[in-house]
Amino acid sequence: MIKLTDVSFFFGGRDILRHAELLIRDNDRIGLVGPNGAGKSTLFKLLVKEQTPTSGSITTDRKDAVIGYLRQDTGEMKGGSVLEETVAGAGRVSEIGRRLAELEEKMGSIEDPITDAEMDEYGYLQNEFLAHDGYNLESNARAILTGLGFPLERQEESVENFSGGWKMRIAIARLLLLKPDILLMDEPTNHLDLESILFLERWLSSFEGALVMTCHDREFMTRVCRTTVELSHGNLTLYSGDYDFYLREREIRRREQIATYERQQAMLAKEEEFIARFQARASHANLVQSRIKNIEKIERVERPLEEKAMSIEFRPCPRSGDQVAVLENLGVSYGNYNVFSGATVTLRRLEKVALTGINGAGKSTLLKVIAGSLSQTEGSCTVGSGVRSGYFSQYSSDLLNPSNTIFEEAQERLPELDRGELMSALGAFLFSGDDVDKKISVLSGGEKSRVVLACILSRPVNFLVLDEPTNHLDIVSREVLLDALKRFDGTVLIVSHDRFFLRSLATRVWELDRGRLSVYEGDYSYYLEKSPHLKELHLM
């Protein structure tokens, strides 16, 4: 359906794509992977013709193909209600609906009666409207919005009342209602809670068009995408399997390429040694020239480049008491609104606890109380002896000083570290050399998260309170963080909607639902099996 032929794209002195070839066919499910900054979003812009290739061509075999594109930013959204904004995204069907309404109004008008030509137009448009299930457009829109977490009463509110994260859900709803022939999605699970992720996963599994998607949620990517395309160092590489297959196959290919490279280097070394030994001998002149020509004809195998990854090591910290935090009838209210109440539980040393619940359930509020940045309105929260906590808020990046460089920000937050220690701490989170002189204002969301994590995890702490630390981190960075938290010789309380992350980490689960805290004495898979309000979603 879309074909890239010998496509190259250069930007800012960097090769984003080099002689790339790719075919996106009907019904393909492609997961686009690669490190942050590799150019995945740029590739999407090339596919929708917002950017023009430096060379090569991008063609479609159907001129009427509808392409839906979900960006990482929602753009301007104002004026209408959530439902109106969603219905307006249905493209041609929405336009037909508006025109039919205009013609129906003229049918009942005496002053401006409908003409014969308009009646013919009405009949034609009505057939097309029926063929595209237009009369169920509003009910389908409501079902999609409900699945993405919008209660019916909030679907009538103005879009201006909603945060960027909720506007992203509206953008997703518009695309799902559009039902395009080709769907391009750039990080669709950002800002979604578990229930919404599961709804989107099911919808995409039954989607009949072609899908190309980037996503940092490993389990979501594996469940939805059947093919994987890696963009790295300007090269597009196709893997005919899901993300798990890609990881295995990439390692096999990498080992094979290293072995081929090393064999070729050994052969070249022998040839060059022969040439050096006999170059001065007239009796070997023809043989030497023949060897030189052979070497020049050989296509050189490149050693595969190593991708940089974070490397987290925690600073030693004295152990805490066995009881890290004790909650007794804890509650928080704002005026007449009760966020949660009656929370009673003990957090024990070395536990790795996942705090779950839908968006708006009060998870961030509970973490703030435990971290000491918010006071409860009822009950008590007692932090145990010897506890030294590090708190990552999902809004921590917003507190960075945009006029600071990365190094200046770290220096202000970690005044006890000297320059060498600061450079080492930042280097572990992929900021080295001139990178540390970048201004906070120019960093991506993932880079800002890494700055905050570098500052928090470089302190000697034994209790980590983490609110969505995986947001904006790519899959590789998430798995490095996961490995570090598994090795962490302390206690962790974490909110994340990444199922793979929580399955691999959590030893216990707290769930906030309708203002009450429930405790599941088992890992995350146990919670998914036992939680009453999740059973009908068929998570396992």
Side-chain angles (χ1 to χ4, degrees):
M1 188 175 288
I2 298 182
K3 186 176 183 180
L4 279 70
T5 305
D6 197 27
V7 171
S8 294
F9 183 73
F10 310 120
F11 181 77
R14 193 162 66 92
D15 294 353
I16 304 298
L17 288 173
R18 289 200 305 262
H19 307 292
E21 304 276 343
L22 180 65
L23 178 63
I24 303 170
R25 302 164 301 182
D26 294 347
N27 306 120
D28 268 347
R29 297 285 190 280
I30 297 174
L32 179 62
V33 301
N36 281 348
K40 299 186 294 294
S41 296
T42 300
L43 177 56
F44 281 143
K45 291 175 182 177
L46 288 166
L47 292 174
V48 296
K49 302 188 184 307
E50 290 183 7
Q51 299 274 15
T52 303
T54 306
S55 62
S57 64
I58 301 177
T59 57
T60 57
D61 60 0
R62 280 180 48 194
K63 300 299 182 184
D64 62 341
V66 177
I67 300 178
Y69 175 31
L70 178 73
R71 310 165 190 274
Q72 288 194 35
D73 57 276
T74 57
E76 192 65 22
M77 199 179 283
K78 63 180 182 179
S81 69
V82 171
L83 180 63
E84 289 168 344
E85 184 72 23
T86 302
V87 169
R92 170 72 177 160
V93 182
S94 180
E95 293 170 7
I96 292 173
R98 285 196 297 271
R99 180 58 179 159
L100 287 174
E102 291 172 2
L103 294 172
E104 286 167 358
E105 188 174 340
K106 291 192 75 172
M107 288 178 187
S109 172
I110 299 175
E111 297 177 356
D112 184 21
I114 194 167
T115 67
D116 291 342
E118 286 174 330
M119 279 300 298
D120 290 341
E121 180 190 5
Y122 183 84
Y124 173 80
L125 290 178
Q126 190 176 48
N127 287 335
E128 188 176 352
F129 199 58
L130 283 167
H132 289 89
D133 199 25
Y135 286 104
N136 288 321
L137 193 63
E138 183 173 314
S139 60
N140 289 339
R142 288 192 181 279
I144 290 170
L145 288 168
T146 301
L148 290 173
F150 289 92
L152 286 175
E153 63 273 13
R154 299 216 67 188
Q155 294 175 16
E156 304 299 335
E157 288 187 33
S158 170
V159 292
E160 296 171 353
N161 295 347
F162 292 86
S163 67
W166 283 96
K167 286 180 179 177
M168 180 62 72
R169 295 183 187 218
I170 297 171
I172 293 174
R174 286 167 58 95
L175 281 179
L176 302 192
L177 191 63
L178 175 63
K179 296 181 181 177
D181 301 299
I182 306 165
L183 183 53
L184 310 177
M185 307 191 84
D186 198 354
E187 296 299 338
T189 60
N190 278 358
H191 309 293
L192 297 186
D193 56 21
L194 177 60
E195 288 81 358
S196 300
I197 289 172
L198 291 165
F199 169 81
L200 181 59
E201 185 179 285
R202 291 196 302 274
W203 194 96
L204 290 176
S205 296
S206 61
F207 173 59
E208 295 180 355
L211 170 69
V212 184
M213 178 182 73
T214 67
C215 185
H216 293 160
D217 185 324
R218 175 172 172 169
E219 187 159 338
F220 186 86
M221 178 82 84
T222 301
R223 286 175 180 241
V224 171
C225 297
R226 300 189 291 261
T227 304
T228 306
V229 172
E230 180 187 57
L231 174 56
S232 180
H233 303 290
N235 299 313
L236 280 180
T237 308
L238 177 68
Y239 294 83
S240 56
D242 62 18
Y243 186 79
D244 289 340
F245 172 85
Y246 152 74
L247 290 178
R248 295 190 302 269
E249 181 66 17
R250 182 185 62 169
E251 183 57 28
I252 292 170
R253 294 186 192 183
R254 179 180 170 277
R255 287 199 301 265
E256 289 176 348
Q257 188 175 345
I258 289 173
T260 303
Y261 168 81
E262 290 176 346
R263 285 195 301 269
Q264 187 182 77
Q265 289 299 304
M267 180 272 293
L268 290 172
K270 287 181 179 179
E271 293 295 292
E272 288 166 0
E273 180 185 3
F274 179 90
I275 292 167
R277 283 181 61 192
F278 297 106
Q279 197 165 23
R281 298 187 185 183
S283 59
H284 288 72
N286 290 338
L287 188 54
V288 167
Q289 287 304 312
S290 176
R291 298 264 181 125
I292 291 173
K293 288 179 181 178
N294 286 339
I295 288 176
E296 289 173 348
K297 292 177 182 177
I298 291 174
E299 184 177 345
R300 302 300 172 100
V301 176
E302 293 183 359
R303 185 179 184 88
L305 296 170
E306 298 289 340
E307 299 288 357
K308 293 194 294 184
M310 297 192 308
S311 176
I312 303 172
E313 295 294 336
F314 295 100
R315 299 184 69 191
C317 183
R319 61 165 283 174
S320 68
D322 290 337
Q323 293 186 338
V324 174
V326 178
L327 283 57
E328 294 184 354
N329 293 314
L330 186 72
V332 175
S333 300
Y334 297 109
N336 294 326
Y337 175 64
N338 176 54
V339 181
F340 62 84
S341 60
T344 299
V345 67
T346 297
L347 179 60
R348 300 182 290 267
R349 190 177 76 86
L350 299 182
E351 284 187 326
K352 306 290 193 292
V353 174
L355 176 60
T356 70
I358 63 171
N359 283 355
K363 302 185 298 296
S364 295
T365 300
L366 178 55
L367 291 190
K368 288 177 183 177
V369 173
I370 294 173
S373 64
L374 180 70
S375 298
Q376 67 270 19
T377 52
E378 62 181 63
S380 65
C381 174
T382 305
V383 175
S385 63
V387 172
R388 298 183 63 175
S389 62
Y391 172 47
F392 179 93
S393 163
Q394 60 178 303
Y395 305 108
S396 291
S397 298
D398 297 339
L399 303 179
L400 297 173
N401 185 342
S403 63
N404 275 347
T405 65
I406 293 173
F407 184 83
E408 289 167 345
E409 187 71 27
Q411 198 171 38
E412 288 181 8
R413 291 169 174 257
L414 300 167
E416 69 276 14
L417 302 187
D418 61 31
R419 181 176 180 83
E421 291 171 322
L422 281 172
M423 291 297 291
S424 177
L426 291 172
F429 285 81
L430 306 183
F431 300 113
S432 58
D434 294 340
D435 289 341
V436 302
D437 296 323
K438 286 183 180 177
K439 292 284 189 182
I440 297 294
S441 58
V442 304
L443 300 183
S444 67
E447 288 172 322
K448 288 178 181 178
S449 291
R450 297 206 314 265
V451 171
V452 176
L453 285 170
C455 294
I456 292 172
L457 302 183
S458 295
R459 292 183 179 278
V461 297
N462 51 33
F463 177 35
L464 289 171
V465 182
L466 305 173
D467 192 0
E468 298 287 4
T470 55
N471 273 3
H472 305 295
L473 294 182
D474 60 28
I475 293 178
V476 174
S477 296
R478 288 185 180 204
E479 294 187 2
V480 172
L481 177 61
L482 170 61
D483 178 67
L485 293 179
K486 289 165 72 173
R487 291 184 286 105
F488 177 54
D489 188 23
T491 308
V492 178
L493 177 59
I494 184 171
V495 171
S496 174
H497 299 306
D498 186 322
R499 286 166 289 171
F500 178 83
F501 198 94
L502 296 183
R503 284 182 200 273
S504 304
L505 179 68
T507 59
R508 196 179 187 207
V509 178
W510 299 355
E511 180 189 58
L512 269 176
D513 181 37
R514 292 183 284 272
R516 309 300 296 180
L517 182 69
S518 300
V519 178
Y520 293 82
E521 302 293 350
D523 61 13
Y524 192 69
S525 294
Y526 173 83
Y527 156 72
L528 294 178
E529 180 184 349
K530 297 297 183 181
S531 175
H533 85 274
L534 292 180
K535 280 186 178 179
E536 68 273 15
L537 297 177
H538 307 293
L539 299 180
M540 301 303 289

